[in-house]
Amino acid sequence: MDKVNLKDLYIEEIEKLLYDINQEKYRAKQIFKWIYKGVCNIDEMTDISKPLREEISQGAFISCPEVLNVQHSSDDTYKYLFGLLDGNAIESVLMKYKYGYSACISTQVGCKMGCAFCASSKCGFVRHLTAGEIIDQVISMQRESGNRISKVVFMGIGEPLDNYENTIKALRLLNNPLGLNIGYRNISVSTSGLVPAILRLAEESLPITLSISLHAPNDRIRNQIMPVNKRYNINELINACKKYTNITRRRISFEYILIDNLNDSEKDAIELAAKVKGMLAHINLIPFNPVSERDFKRSSPDRVKRFLHVLTKKGIQTTVRRELGSEIEAACGQLRLKHEKHKE
């Protein structure tokens, strides 16, 4: 499509678009506000004259993904299957907490990382999402549910830092006070460990939470389940994380999926504690969520408790993540491309 998606643009870029058609730049803020109110058509911008709406429509549009399916679990988690303009599809999740609603969003169609415990990479990588398509998920879930979303986690399908430019732009757009006005401290970005991108992110001056998908205490185990470790091993990753915390003064969250008899022994916990000791960090333990194509099993409750006990005894801040949405395959590691299955 030759037209530009207004959701992909900063206010300054909308101003440039208006300047090019000899219109006043103050209109850009009006347009921006309408976008984040959730309108799907330029004609819905009622405080802009019809002739101007028609002129803008000649070179621009507002993307709105099609809601192909919604699943609702007993714990008040909603999983959305969104259809994109090019026929691809992505999944996003809306979760209810005591503090409000949190959105888990995707950054790519498919994923390159190939993590052995994750469903998202099963169909391979298709393409990056644009910044507009990333924030579209938040706007659409907010519009469809009628609930204000106050927290966003970039932990859906795809590797956010592999789609670096669009991820950064989406972060800044989500934070804009004239838009959704979601505070950076209420946004988390997850990465499997792309070291150069982590160091680059440290210089962006974005007070977000960085989550590292670690899932192993050493290279031997991590190489088995996360191909990215063969590019950037654990020591390189940990060193990058230390540099990140030194620059940003922000605590890092290490995500650790517990897989039965693979990475959940007391020895593994001791080794993990030694890796992160002294860091500005927190560990999130996540019992493995079943994925039909994988043979892994989740750690037993006793092994989870022992693992947690070892880490806390070693002085490492650790929690076991509350499980949400597993009955509808909306939990960590379960999101995938289900468009073809849905169409059948």
Side-chain angles (χ1 to χ4, degrees), residues 153-169:
V153 293
F154 284 57
M155 295 183 183
I157 298 170
E159 162 60 65
L161 297 190
D162 182 49
N163 187 12
Y164 189 88
E165 300 294 346
N166 287 316
T167 291
I168 296 300
K169 191 168 192 178

Side-chain angles (χ1 to χ4, degrees), residues 266-292:
E266 291 188 27
K267 180 182 176 184
D268 293 329
I270 292 169
E271 192 171 0
L272 176 61
K275 278 281 189 295
V276 302
K277 187 71 174 177
M279 288 185 63
L280 190 61
H282 171 269
I283 292 180
N284 252 327
L285 299 180
I286 309 164
F288 174 70
N289 293 303
V291 175
S292 58

